[in-house]
Amino acid sequence: MRSQATILLMSCVFSLTGCAALAPRPDAGSAVNAQCGDVAFGIYFQPRSSNLSREARQLLKAQVGSMSGCEVTSVDVLGLADAPGDPDANHILAQRRSDSVTGALARYGFGQVTFQAADQGEQGAMTSTGKMRPMRRRADLIFHLKPRA
């Protein structure tokens, strides 16, 4: 019984940590950056929040820093929200998440880069069978890179 409680507690901690941080996708490694290909990753938010956590900001800076050998030509930012709740409120929340990320990137020196910001609200949060997709409390980013001239 005690080990089950420990496992449950650890899984809760790991899942909460993942929500608050930026989680690079497997294809966003240094080999991709060295070749200056597109880099994609997601930044996760707390429920009903569009504020970047301190950890998410630090990890966003680190990910941006790993692209130093490349020129960023444009950035796509897609804000997402979970399915539960009012559709209009979810749309606004997804938009705020997208705005939060693009604002942070502008503060990190990406003011001259073209942003393609969009949001989906709860659109796409349900599967065709009516089940909710988990963990849509995020903004997805794609950095389009090319080698520096």
Side-chain angles (χ1 to χ4, degrees):
M1 183 69 158
R2 187 174 202 200
S3 64
Q4 287 176 333
T6 302
I7 291 170
L8 178 62
L9 178 62
M10 289 177 64
S11 66
C12 288
V13 168
F14 288 128
S15 67
L16 288 174
T17 303
C19 291
L22 172 136
R25 293 185 183 160
D27 63 345
S30 58
V32 173
N33 292 342
Q35 298 173 356
C36 296
D38 291 354
V39 175
F41 56 94
I43 296 178
Y44 290 86
F45 295 85
Q46 294 296 320
R48 298 175 302 281
S49 174
S50 61
N51 296 324
L52 290 172
S53 68
R54 184 175 68 84
E55 295 84 4
R57 288 190 307 272
Q58 289 174 338
L59 290 169
L60 180 59
K61 283 182 185 179
Q63 184 67 35
V64 166
S66 71
M67 299 178 221
S68 62
C70 304
E71 180 181 337
V72 180
T73 59
S74 65
V75 182
D76 299 335
V77 181
L78 176 64
L80 300 165
D82 291 333
D86 177 61
D88 291 333
N90 286 340
H91 176 74
I92 291 168
L93 178 59
Q95 184 176 21
R96 286 182 179 159
R97 288 174 175 165
S98 178
D99 291 346
S100 179
V101 171
T102 55
L105 289 173
R107 287 188 298 276
Y108 298 155
F110 286 91
Q112 64 276 29
V113 173
T114 302
F115 289 101
Q116 300 296 325
D119 63 83
Q120 281 192 323
E122 70 177 7
Q123 179 184 355
M126 300 286 278
T127 66
S128 60
T129 61
K131 295 187 186 229
M132 287 189 267
R133 295 181 196 262
M135 296 298 295
R136 285 183 40 100
R137 298 182 303 260
R138 68 179 191 275
D140 288 338
L141 291 86
I142 301 175
F143 283 80
H144 300 283
L145 309 173
K146 69 178 188 178
R148 290 196 186 272

